[in-house]
Amino acid sequence: MTLFYMTINGQPVSTAGQFAVKNPATGDAVGHAPNGSSEHLDRAVAAARAAFVIWSQTSDKIRARACRDIAEQIGKHAEELARLLTLEQGKPLNGLGSRFEISGAQAWAAHTATLSLPVKVLQDDAQGRVELHRKPIGVVGSITPWNWPVMIAVWHVLPAVRSGNTVVIKPSPHTPLSTLRLVELMNQVLPPGVVNSVCCDDRTSNLGAAISAHPDIGKVVFTGSTNTGKKVMANAADTVKRLTLELGGNDAGIVLPDVDPKAIAEGLFWGAFINNGQTCAALKRLYVHEQVYDQVCAALTDYAKAIPVGPGTDEASILGPVNNAMQFDKVKRLVDAAKQKGRVLLGGAPGEGLFFPPTLIADLSHDDPLVYEEQFGPALPIIKYRDIEDAIRQANDSPNGLGGSVWSSNIEQAKQVARRLECGSVWINQHGAVQPNVPFGGVKSSGLGVEFGEEGLAQYTDIQVVFG
Ligand code: NAD
């Protein structure tokens, strides 16, 4: 059985206790992860603090080079990382699965090299000169979830390093192995201490909570559930940490009456079922106008029933199992409740182990739990509407505000509806696409701050103005 290590100050660190990470497709152990303690976290933070002294003074050129070197490392080890990710996360190697995630992580790392935050001259006249500088914050604590663990690790670590910070990252106990390996690979091209990893089982030790409160960490970047995000915020208050929080979503899609149902079925399906629905900005509630309701339900069902579901290591699989039992139970509970009220178009009953087939349930209404709770799994509720004002009101009647989409053959009309949705990103005739040059973040309880692009990079810095 492979034993994985944390990386602290460039060195592999093992622990007295470990925990097994299970393959969701089989229940077999994939490897053993270290169960780190607060002493390990203190060591990692001390290493990151020491490295910050030098790293924060390195040139822009060296930091850009480091991002490109990390991208190259990911590329060289892509198949190894993809296989490890499939084994611990469950997502297939193919389709929008592990190979897609690893190549996305590589592209993101390379793009981060091209970003910069030049000095801004705010005033330069007879009264004087004022410059705005962006300075790295210090040690960044990164806390990541289990759905897109490698991609999200890159989203957190790369902008931190690019802007002169050093990092301690803690992955989810459901998917720690690919991140521990990723940090080892980063350490082959970075000075010791710039990126460190810690890991724990969240039962005997909760290093996420300890990172959020640590006095020598200046910023926390957290991706995960809204409930845990609130705890991070509360724990970070004492030390006034800078925060980026990417939290839960319950994205609505609104289908206008002028669509071609067959033409939008594929986009609707992947908007909702990418990564088995375990995606923050997946389409989680679908509002369809009554004029095209039956046709959209039929086209979506036809598309969905042809998708092969199976173990991620099988090259033929396009969707895999749900990642963990807690998430599986949540999906099952919401689907069971929805079956009482709605009409099952496809799926609806669990498969073996953690497998749950793509499930479509029509004729639901706004007050059904599958509609108003975030399911984070392979089940899509479909709601019929007559009046667009009702659809917009229901879409906005949520504490979440991550993404949303509008589907129409009239782009201008779709944009008018889009602008009225309370969310950070709105897509027209697609759902959930993110890009490294475009800021991404949620409004309301879906988060605080943005990632990606120059706006995302700026969040890893403090402003200093220089007069004179
Ligand atoms: P989670 O909140 O349970 O866990 C996220 C991370 O927080 C894990 O590393 C966990 O170990 C850690 N953690 C646990 N207790 C903590 C504490 N008290 N303080 C600090 N950290 C702690 O979330 P999850 O189940 O891994 O992920 C699923 C959720 O994440 C969904 O709600 C989804 O919508 C959200 N998500 C959001 C985005 C986004 O960008 N908005 C992206 C991915 C996932």
Side-chain angles (χ1 to χ4, degrees), residues 327-345:
Q327 195 59 47
F328 180 90
D329 292 345
K330 182 174 186 193
V331 173
K332 185 172 177 312
R333 170 176 65 78
L334 292 173
V335 167
D336 283 346
K339 286 197 296 196
Q340 307 299 313
K341 301 276 275 303
R343 182 165 49 98
V344 178
L345 302 177

Side-chain angles (χ1 to χ4, degrees), residues 55 62-78 81 102 105-113 150 153-162 167 181-191 194-195:
W55 190 249
I62 287 179
R63 292 185 218 151
R65 174 82 253 168
C67 294
R68 285 197 297 275
D69 288 346
I70 291 171
E72 213 174 289
Q73 282 287 83
I74 297 172
K76 272 195 219 155
H77 297 269
L81 286 169
I102 301 301
Q106 183 187 356
W108 234 277
H111 185 82
T112 309
V150 176
V154 165
W155 290 353
H156 289 187
V157 172
L158 270 288
V161 167
R162 177 73 187 89
V167 181
R181 181 68 183 129
L182 175 71
V183 173
E184 281 177 9
L185 295 172
M186 289 180 177
N187 272 269
Q188 291 172 6
V189 295
L190 291 173
V194 173
V195 179

Side-chain angles (χ1 to χ4, degrees), residues 328-375:
F328 180 90
D329 292 345
K330 182 174 186 193
V331 173
K332 185 172 177 312
R333 170 176 65 78
L334 292 173
V335 167
D336 283 346
K339 286 197 296 196
Q340 307 299 313
K341 301 276 275 303
R343 182 165 49 98
V344 178
L345 302 177
L346 188 72
E352 260 180 49
L354 293 178
F355 283 92
F356 205 105
T359 293
L360 297 168
I361 305 191
D363 304 350
L364 290 171
S365 63
H366 194 57
D367 51 6
D368 288 312
L370 184 59
V371 179
Y372 68 75
E373 278 188 46
E374 182 191 29
Q375 67 277 52

Side-chain angles (χ1 to χ4, degrees), residues 27-300:
D28 298 338
V30 178
H32 282 88
N35 193 17
S37 65
S38 56
E39 286 77 43
H40 293 109
L41 176 63
D42 287 343
R43 275 169 60 190
V45 174
R49 268 193 90 177
F52 179 74
V53 175
I54 295 167
W55 190 249
S56 59
Q57 297 303 318
T58 50
S59 69
D60 199 60
K61 216 169 136 190
I62 287 179
R63 292 185 218 151
R65 174 82 253 168
C67 294
R68 285 197 297 275
D69 288 346
I70 291 171
E72 213 174 289
Q73 282 287 83
I74 297 172
K76 272 195 219 155
H77 297 269
E79 189 61 16
E80 175 203 345
L81 286 169
R83 287 188 177 274
L84 190 53
L85 179 58
T86 286
L87 288 176
E88 66 175 350
Q89 207 286 334
K91 64 180 71 189
L93 289 164
N94 282 323
L96 300 173
S98 293
R99 291 180 182 133
F100 168 78
E101 178 168 345
I102 301 301
S103 69
Q106 183 187 356
W108 234 277
H111 185 82
T112 309
T114 69
L115 298 174
S116 63
L117 296 169
V119 174
K120 246 192 202 168
V121 178
L122 302 180
Q123 184 185 324
D124 193 12
D125 57 21
Q127 274 70 47
R129 182 176 166 95
V130 184
E131 295 172 351
L132 185 152
H133 293 248
R134 293 258 172 200
K135 298 179 71 176
I137 295 164
V139 179
V140 171
S142 150
I143 305 171
T144 55
W146 48 260
N147 57 346
W148 295 88
V150 176
M151 186 87 108
I152 292 173
V154 165
W155 290 353
H156 289 187
V157 172
L158 270 288
V161 167
R162 177 73 187 89
S163 49
N165 301 277
T166 54
V167 181
V168 176
I169 182 169
K170 189 210 79 68
S172 162
H174 294 296
T175 54
L177 306 180
S178 48
T179 303
L180 294 172
R181 181 68 183 129
L182 175 71
V183 173
E184 281 177 9
L185 295 172
M186 289 180 177
N187 272 269
Q188 291 172 6
V189 295
L190 291 173
V194 173
V195 179
N196 307 273
S197 58
V198 293
C199 182
C200 64
D201 65 4
D202 274 9
R203 286 191 296 273
T204 52
S205 153
N206 189 328
L207 296 183
I211 285 173
S212 317
H214 202 288
D216 292 332
I217 289 180
K219 177 194 168 87
V220 171
V221 50
F222 170 86
T223 302
S225 63
T226 301
N227 276 344
T228 312
K230 288 177 186 172
K231 291 184 195 161
V232 170
M233 211 169 174
N235 283 329
D238 249 5
T239 45
V240 196
K241 287 193 195 350
R242 283 81 185 109
L243 290 176
T244 303
L245 303 176
E246 298 290 357
L247 309 177
N250 193 7
D251 293 10
I254 300 180
V255 178
L256 302 185
D258 64 357
V259 294
D260 172 354
K262 285 206 173 107
I264 63 169
E266 180 175 3
L268 287 175
F269 180 82
W270 286 113
F273 289 90
I274 182 169
N275 205 30
N276 243 344
Q278 303 166 122
T279 298
C280 52
L283 170 51
K284 294 183 178 137
R285 319 173 260 159
L286 185 62
Y287 296 87
V288 184
H289 192 271
E290 61 179 7
Q291 270 177 35
V292 283
Y293 185 78
D294 290 338
Q295 297 90 314
V296 169
C297 286
L300 195 49

Side-chain angles (χ1 to χ4, degrees), residues 2-14:
T2 317
L3 186 58
F4 286 75
Y5 299 93
M6 303 185 286
T7 303
I8 298 178
N9 206 24
Q11 297 301 313
V13 172
S14 57

